[in-house]
Amino acid sequence: MATYSRLPGSVALITLQNPPVNALSAAVRQGIVDTVQRALKDPKVTSVVICGQNGKFCGGADIREFAGPMLGPPLVPMIHAIEAVDKPVAAAIEGVALGGGLELALGCHYRIAHSKALLGLPEVTLGLLPGAGGTQRLPRLIGLTAALDLITTGRHISAAEALKLGIVDQVTDSNAVDQAVEFVRSVAGRS
Ligand SMILES: CC/C=C\C/C=C/C(=O)SCCNC(=O)CCNC(=O)[C@H](O)C(C)(C)COP(=O)(O)OP(=O)(O)OC[C@H]1O[C@@H](n2cnc3c(N)ncnc32)[C@H](O)[C@@H]1OP(=O)(O)O
């Protein structure tokens, strides 16, 4: 699931909740679709932060659901809908942003990472290619050579390397959610 709260300063906070790594289960994807719609429709909300419960942004597809049929909202339109929100949306990346989790963050307009966070597209290690926009959004953001390296090796990179490559906008040693909230307040009102 995903919870929704409105913070002072008109920021909507969407929190992914699916222990242990807030993977994108059907219930989490449905929660994201519902809470993003709510933030979009709430006239008091001027900006949005997406984070994960317990210091973990998102470990990607929920591997516990791989054996069964695909249920719930698909990832691609969900991420498109976030990208199309006409209010600034930031991902607060703590712990991990892997696979579909990084693709979710790439659909947000800004990414703020904790210094100890790990990011990557490990799909290749499962015999897959990133299928939710990562193969388009990552090269646009950091160039083809650097994106191909990450996509074809599946390696996890540090927040410092992600900042150097241009995947994240800011890295913080303190609370990444607080930092992201402060950041989106500073850009609220921009498209
Ligand atoms: C609907 C979308 C469909 C397709 C598009 C998307 C595709 C993808 O996202 S593919 C990528 C999927 N994600 C991964 O491959 C990540 C795999 N996990 C890891 O690399 C590591 O577990 C970790 C870096 C996330 C954490 O490492 P570490 O701190 O060493 O802990 P553990 O490895 O012991 O894991 C702890 C705990 O978490 C469970 N877990 C990890 N990843 C997932 C996941 N993606 N889904 C569900 N559960 C996950 C892991 O099984 C452990 O659980 P237990 O403690 O119960 O054993």
Side-chain angles (χ1 to χ4, degrees):
M1 63 178 280
T3 60
Y4 179 93
S5 52
R6 184 142 48 76
L7 306 180
S10 307
V11 179
L13 181 67
I14 293 173
T15 307
L16 316 189
Q17 296 192 351
N18 181 20
V21 295
N22 301 315
L24 293 164
S25 63
V28 168
R29 298 195 307 278
Q30 188 64 59
I32 294 171
V33 168
D34 294 344
T35 51
V36 167
Q37 278 305 311
R38 190 167 162 190
L40 192 57
K41 286 185 189 147
D42 187 340
K44 292 203 177 101
V45 164
T46 54
S47 55
V48 182
V49 170
I50 302 180
C51 67
Q53 185 188 38
N54 292 333
K56 305 243 168 61
F57 180 68
C58 179
D62 194 323
I63 53 183
R64 295 165 296 195
E65 294 186 354
F66 274 5
M70 167 85 182
L71 301 170
L75 207 50
V76 170
M78 183 195 91
I79 295 175
H80 273 307
I82 293 169
E83 193 171 44
V85 171
D86 60 356
K87 306 175 186 188
V89 183
I93 302 175
E94 299 174 304
V96 288
L98 296 173
L102 180 56
E103 292 180 301
L104 166 65
L106 290 171
C108 297
H109 308 132
Y110 303 99
R111 286 154 293 281
I112 313 297
H114 187 266
S115 52
K116 292 203 161 60
L118 291 175
L119 297 85
L121 292 172
E123 283 87 340
V124 69
T125 64
L126 301 171
L128 304 170
L129 279 174
T135 54
Q136 287 82 49
R137 290 191 181 93
L138 194 61
R140 280 182 207 143
L141 199 57
I142 67 173
L144 192 56
T145 306
L148 269 175
D149 169 49
L150 296 185
I151 292 165
T152 56
T153 63
R155 69 189 178 92
H156 297 177
I157 61 168
S158 65
E161 185 174 354
L163 182 66
K164 201 169 156 199
L165 287 171
I167 298 176
V168 300
D169 301 285
Q170 285 184 3
V171 173
T172 178
D173 289 324
S174 54
N175 187 304
V177 179
D178 291 347
Q179 181 80 14
V181 168
E182 192 181 313
F183 182 87
V184 292
R185 279 192 192 125
S186 75
V187 294
R190 296 191 203 167
S191 68

